[in-house]
Amino acid sequence: MTGAPDVHICEVAARDGLQNLDVFVPTEAKCELIDAIAAAGIREIDAGSFVPPKVVPQFADVDSVMAHALQHKRTATIGALVPNFKGAERAIAAGVGAIYFVISASESHNLANVRRTIEEQLDSFRAVRSALDALPVGGRPRLMGAVATAFGCSIEGPIKEAAVGRVARGFAEAGADEIGLADTVGYGTPGLIKDIVRVARSEVGPQMPLRLHLHDTLGTGLANAVAGLDAGIRSFDAAVSGLGGCPFAPGARGNIVTEDLVFMLERMGLSTGIDLDRLMRTREILSRHIAPRHLTGHLHEAGIPKALRSAA
């Protein structure tokens, strides 16, 4: 992978986008979706989660999906979310290029999500880091620590800056390669985005890569992305057709729409390396299996104006 774009986008539809659906998306459709995402030039794909099927039935086929996704590892980093050390062991065995380990800044959300305290989760993260360090250097997946509910929680409400800083610092001290700040339930606002990024940066230092994972619950998703850009962020998670949500925030809308984000960034003069026309075709794959109410996106509703198409 050469010629790094101005802004890096990780596509999370195959994992975060599908995990809370009430319908099982066939394995073949998941693989087709990942193929289409890779063909559009996406350089990082969150392809699934190594969790027990009884907890998230959508990922009962994660081994098969991941094996297929890894066919694209020469052009894209293929990653997986894990909730614990056992999940990380499965991800390592699968050969993923990135592991996303989640700890919530909200103690209540962390207990509801993974049934562990924040400190217990940090212990598990340290164990994952040790397991990776035991691997040959060239065979180690990148390890990202994701701070969930960094901008608010549907259980606890507003989250104190110190709570976010505590988890971010814990990740950094434990050896994270990157730290993500997640607006898990979509309560963030542009001002809050800047404040939390500033706090996290002060805790982890100038060299630690940071990324934003944004949801669009209150319609502020793209505005928050711009705020992130202003704060120096150049890596974002997004999902085609705005898929996603949080099981602890009923009715919450999904992730920011990848298609809309790419269009906005390119119109701002920032390269993404993504073929927007190809990315738009993922809607056809999704619409065969997912109810229209789950699929959003301004570009899909309005189309790309002909006068702007050459600049998109």
Side-chain angles (χ1 to χ4, degrees), residues 59-70:
F59 299 131
D61 59 355
V62 65
D63 292 303
S64 297
V65 172
M66 200 63 63
H68 182 89
L70 284 165

Side-chain angles (χ1 to χ4, degrees), residues 228-287:
L229 291 171
D230 290 343
I233 300 295
R234 291 296 181 271
S235 183
F236 296 87
D237 291 348
V240 289
S241 291
L243 285 173
C246 175
F248 305 106
R253 293 184 68 180
N255 294 272
I256 53 174
V257 182
T258 311
E259 298 92 329
D260 293 353
L261 177 64
V262 169
F263 181 79
M264 181 187 76
L265 292 171
E266 297 283 349
R267 288 290 295 158
M268 292 172 67
L270 297 167
S271 66
T272 63
I274 296 170
D275 184 323
L276 185 56
D277 285 325
R278 286 193 173 195
L279 196 66
M280 294 282 282
R281 295 172 197 160
T282 58
R283 184 66 154 253
E284 180 183 347
I285 300 169
L286 295 171
S287 62

Side-chain angles (χ1 to χ4, degrees), residues 11 13 16-25 33 58 215-216 239-246 249-259 282-283 286-298 300-301:
E11 176 55 54
D16 193 11
L18 301 181
Q19 66 184 9
N20 294 316
L21 290 178
D22 54 6
V23 59
F24 182 81
V25 177
L33 174 63
Q58 191 68 249
H215 285 225
D216 199 33
V240 289
S241 291
L243 285 173
C246 175
R253 293 184 68 180
N255 294 272
I256 53 174
V257 182
T258 311
E259 298 92 329
T282 58
R283 184 66 154 253
L286 295 171
S287 62
R288 294 186 218 133
H289 307 280
I290 299 172
R293 70 180 184 276
H294 295 300
L295 307 177
T296 62
H298 292 290
H300 286 290
E301 295 172 5

